[in-house]
Amino acid sequence: DAKTTQPNSMESNEEEPVHLPCNHSTISGTDYIHWYRQLPSQGPEYVIHGLTSNVNNRMASLAIAEDRKSSTLILHRATLRDAAVYYCILMYTGGFKTIFGAGTRLFVKA
Amino acid sequence: DGGITQSPKYLFRKEGQNVTLSCEQNLNHDAMYWYRQDPGQGLRLIYYSQIVNDFQKGDIAEGYSVSREKKESFPLTVTSAQKNPTAFYLCASSNLAGGPYEQYFGPGTRLTVT
């Protein structure tokens, strides 16, 4: 099963951009790259996904490397409410056997 | 509003008792999932179901059982055979038609067994 690697934690100042990296060197051609985030004692929340091209939505941007072996979630202006654990996940064929690693815990300083 | 509901939010049980966690979705999704999360850890897949009356074991199915009698419902039973049942349990659902297979999660049930 395809696996991702993320830093354990990152810190950001409020109102500054945050770049959360993810390595997925064993990604296959049909894997979607998904990002979720989880606030304490809540279920994960979908943030963004992509396949090959960079993607933007109201929450964030996703930059995907040309070889697709890495990606970066970009929060353009971090707020205190963005403090959460961010998971980078590969989804394929229905998402079965999806692996949620430990994710990156983002700390945002006021 | 469409979504996934899990009940109860907190559940306390004595060791040796079976307990059933509820999960309902009104998103008309085909697939449903159960995950377990321990403190400071990621999510681990317990069971998943692609269609009514069918389900498959995930990575940590031992000590758990599920049923899928209706498309909307996917209850999880934590049996007395589960060695360390205290955890945060999350239910999710997704569409299966053609990707990207985004999963929608419920608010979770925190189970404490003493």
Side-chain angles (χ1 to χ4, degrees):
Chain A
D1 296 326
K3 195 175 172 184
T4 62
T5 305
Q6 299 176 253
N8 290 335
S9 65
M10 291 185 66
E11 195 172 90
S12 170
N13 293 318
E14 200 176 12
E15 302 292 318
E16 290 185 356
V18 182
H19 290 231
L20 298 166
C22 181
N23 287 320
H24 27 79
S25 57
T26 58
I27 191 170
S28 70
T30 54
D31 289 346
Y32 287 88
I33 301 161
H34 281 235
W35 284 81
Y36 290 75
R37 71 180 186 182
Q38 186 177 24
L39 299 169
S41 298
Q42 294 187 26
E45 170 191 31
Y46 167 81
V47 177
I48 200 167
H49 78 272
L51 189 58
T52 56
S53 305
N54 294 346
V55 184
N56 300 299
N57 67 20
R58 62 175 179 81
M59 290 180 73
S61 295
L62 176 61
I64 301 173
E66 203 168 319
D67 62 5
R68 300 208 328 127
K69 294 189 178 197
S70 65
S71 62
T72 302
L73 178 71
I74 303 163
L75 306 179
H76 295 287
R77 291 177 63 201
T79 70
L80 297 178
R81 287 175 294 182
D82 292 323
V85 177
Y86 287 79
Y87 297 99
C88 167
I89 298 142
L90 301 181
M91 293 278 199
Y92 63 99
T93 320
F96 310 124
K97 303 290 191 176
T98 298
I99 298 175
F100 281 77
T104 297
R105 184 172 294 278
L106 176 66
F107 297 94
V108 180
K109 296 187 297 182
Chain B
D1 277 46
I4 298 183
T5 56
Q6 290 186 244
S7 60
K9 191 168 176 65
Y10 298 95
L11 192 52
F12 298 88
R13 279 293 182 270
K14 294 287 188 188
E15 205 172 303
Q17 293 179 336
N18 290 356
V19 59
T20 298
L21 281 58
S22 166
C23 177
E24 304 276 331
Q25 55 102 355
N26 61 3
L27 300 166
N28 200 33
H29 285 167
D30 296 305
M32 296 187 74
Y33 314 79
W34 273 106
Y35 294 91
R36 169 186 172 133
Q37 186 173 35
D38 293 290
Q41 306 294 313
L43 281 65
R44 291 185 290 168
L45 184 63
I46 304 173
Y47 268 99
Y48 63 93
S49 168
Q50 303 176 62
I51 195 170
V52 172
N53 292 324
D54 184 63
F55 46 83
Q56 306 296 327
K57 292 182 180 180
D59 299 317
I60 54 163
E62 187 175 345
Y64 300 98
S65 66
V66 293
S67 63
R68 186 90 187 272
E69 297 176 2
K70 298 186 299 183
K71 188 175 184 178
E72 310 80 46
S73 179
F74 191 41
L76 173 75
T77 297
V78 184
T79 76
S80 56
Q82 168 51 232
K83 296 281 187 283
N84 298 296
T86 294
F88 188 46
Y89 290 88
L90 288 156
C91 180
S93 70
S94 71
N95 262 329
L96 291 180
Y101 316 117
E102 172 190 341
Q103 293 191 14
Y104 294 77
F105 284 84
T109 291
R110 190 167 299 280
L111 173 65
T112 303
V113 177
T114 56

